[in-house]
Amino acid sequence: MERLLREDAPADWAEIHLDFRGSSSICQADMSGTTANGGALLMPLPDGVVALMRTLRARMYEPGQGTWLSVHVTLRRGRAADFRFNFTDDPQWSPPVAPTVFSMDVEEFPRDPQHLPEWLRQRLVEAAEFEEGYRNDRGSRE
């Protein structure tokens, strides 16, 4: 992944930032950076980065503990990449995603109760309420 970011960067890049939020059903990636003279770096997300991040997320799954929810990657010219994985804090999707995104993710990457942060526990309650309401609404139409 680091190689993909470096290869696709313009010749005058100095620093690249990648913010990736992932779930079992959707993902979101934002890139930014600076050039050697301090200007804003504008570059598209290189092909293959999303697939690599989704694979990394799945491979980092720990049974009962889950996997990371987001990661911030910083690349600086001449240095190794710095990965900051978020396993517990709300990943702050923009725009916010439906609570069912989190319930599907926990279904695919289960977490034991002690590894469910309070904000995630609340999203799972909201998802269950939505699903129950949907079943009840659908049942009343049949």
Side-chain angles (χ1 to χ4, degrees):
M1 203 264 326
E2 181 178 345
R3 180 183 53 78
L4 283 176
L5 294 175
R6 290 181 193 274
E7 284 177 358
D8 277 17
D12 65 340
W13 77 276
E15 192 168 288
I16 298 171
H17 299 276
L18 170 66
D19 286 301
F20 183 90
R21 286 164 289 288
S23 80
S24 60
S25 58
I26 61 172
C27 62
Q28 185 176 62
D30 301 305
M31 281 187 58
S32 63
T34 56
T35 62
N37 67 5
L41 180 64
L42 301 174
M43 61 182 274
L45 191 65
D47 290 339
V49 168
V50 169
L52 286 171
M53 296 304 279
R54 291 178 68 82
T55 298
L56 180 62
R57 188 169 186 269
R59 287 188 178 166
M60 288 181 70
Y61 170 70
E62 293 286 334
Q65 293 182 17
T67 190
W68 51 270
L69 303 159
S70 62
V71 61
H72 178 82
V73 182
T74 302
L75 288 171
R76 290 183 181 90
R77 188 177 285 282
R79 294 187 180 165
D82 177 45
F83 288 77
R84 306 236 171 166
F85 294 99
N86 166 29
F87 290 87
T88 57
D89 295 333
D90 186 336
Q92 302 296 317
W93 290 79
S94 181
V97 296
T100 51
V101 167
F102 296 103
S103 65
M104 290 186 306
D105 194 60
V106 169
E107 191 173 302
E108 185 165 335
F109 301 109
R111 291 176 178 238
D112 294 338
Q114 67 270 25
H115 296 291
L116 285 172
E118 188 54 39
W119 70 267
L120 181 53
R121 204 179 300 272
Q122 180 59 40
R123 296 297 193 308
L124 297 177
V125 167
E126 292 167 10
E129 289 170 353
F130 173 81
E131 290 168 6
E132 181 65 25
Y134 177 77
R135 279 193 295 277
N136 290 340
D137 184 49
R138 189 170 166 213
S140 68
R141 289 188 212 162
E142 293 176 359

